[in-house]
Amino acid sequence: MEAVVFVFSLLDCCALIFLSVYFIITLSDLECDYINARSCCSKLNKWIIPELIGHTIVTVLMLISLHWFIFLLNLPVATWNIYRNTQQRAAEVTHERGHGQAWFPLALLLHVPL
């Protein structure tokens, strides 16, 4: 059973890393003006819920299988994703707002699954 948990966790983390790379590439295309803000939002918004589900499944799976240390490593990322996605705010990000955010590298660091 433990091997199945870790194989599933490995596959899920690989998918989440792929999503993180996809987010970075799409945001760099937005920064270079290859795509507009509306197109960028429509591409990225459809992957927010699968990302949230992926982080939450791995965190709950580690809690159920009693791997406390890995659970505690994943808990801040899952909590941040749940908090970020439950806030009521506008879905569209303007081009000017995306350039001036100093917290962007920190958000990318927190976006990578543990």
Side-chain angles (χ1 to χ4, degrees):
M1 178 65 181
E2 190 169 315
V4 173
V5 169
F6 281 107
V7 166
F8 178 76
S9 177
L10 177 70
L11 294 175
D12 189 47
C13 287
C14 289
L16 291 172
I17 289 171
F18 175 76
L19 270 176
S20 296
V21 171
Y22 177 72
F23 276 33
I24 291 170
I25 290 170
T26 306
L27 290 172
S28 69
D29 286 349
L30 174 66
E31 186 177 13
C32 294
D33 289 333
Y34 295 135
I35 58 175
N36 61 14
R38 187 173 303 268
S39 175
C40 179
C41 286
S42 68
K43 286 182 179 182
L44 296 181
N45 282 341
K46 64 183 170 187
W47 294 106
I48 297 296
I49 299 299
E51 176 196 9
L52 176 67
I53 291 170
H55 277 295
T56 306
I57 285 175
V58 168
T59 304
V60 170
L61 194 61
M62 291 302 162
L63 176 65
I64 291 172
S65 64
L66 301 176
H67 292 91
W68 298 110
F69 183 70
I70 300 172
F71 167 73
L72 290 174
L73 286 175
N74 281 313
L75 187 61
V77 177
T79 306
W80 171 253
N81 277 332
I82 291 170
Y83 170 76
R84 183 181 64 177
N85 293 313
T86 56
Q87 295 300 308
Q88 297 294 327
R89 56 187 157 149
E92 293 185 26
V93 178
T94 61
H95 183 66
E96 293 80 21
R97 183 176 171 197
H99 283 295
Q101 294 183 351
W103 56 267
F104 185 71
L106 177 63
L108 286 178
L109 177 67
L110 291 176
H111 189 72
V112 176
L114 297 175

